[in-house]
Amino acid sequence: LTFLCKAPAAPPQPVFIPGLGHVSATVTWVPGQAFDCIFSHWAVQGRQRAGTTGSVSEQWRSVNGCMGSQLQLREATSCTATHLAEGGTYEFRVQEVCVDPQFNSDWT
């Protein structure tokens, strides 16, 4: 008997925000190892945090400016989230999405 173990994509390296605007943020990440993933696109989600405690005020959701054809290349590892609330505090996460969903990376 031969067992073939396949591995999902490794999560992207921690997300960082190198640029902030009044109502936008540049979101950047470093790809993890693809392993057995056949790349489809990057998924980027964000949510707003509230108050001084930083409690979550929203569920994770896709963000304007960080979806669509611009993220269909594995080398495209940044996007600009737009239409954010001025002065808001946000957090972002990224996932490598594969043609076969069982090989998607975990969210970072």
Side-chain angles (χ1 to χ4, degrees):
L1 281 178
T2 302
F3 292 97
L4 181 60
C5 295
K6 294 196 171 203
Q13 298 302 309
V15 175
F16 57 101
I17 312 298
L20 289 173
H22 290 288
V23 293
S24 66
T26 301
V27 182
T28 304
W29 59 94
V30 176
Q33 289 288 96
F35 297 114
D36 293 305
C37 171
I38 298 170
F39 182 81
S40 172
H41 63 278
W42 295 108
V44 179
Q45 293 183 336
R47 65 182 175 187
Q48 188 171 10
R49 301 194 67 84
T52 56
T53 63
S55 63
V56 174
S57 63
E58 293 183 357
Q59 297 299 312
W60 290 108
R61 61 179 178 82
S62 297
V63 285
N64 291 321
C66 289
M67 53 188 153
S69 62
Q70 69 193 37
L71 297 177
Q72 291 178 345
L73 295 174
R74 194 165 194 273
E75 299 77 28
T77 57
S78 70
C79 62
T80 301
T82 59
H83 299 96
L84 304 177
E86 188 169 352
T89 301
Y90 288 84
E91 62 182 336
F92 298 93
R93 66 182 187 175
V94 179
Q95 179 185 50
E96 183 167 351
V97 179
C98 307
V99 171
D100 184 340
Q102 73 177 336
F103 297 113
N104 289 358
S105 75
D106 288 336
W107 290 96
T108 286

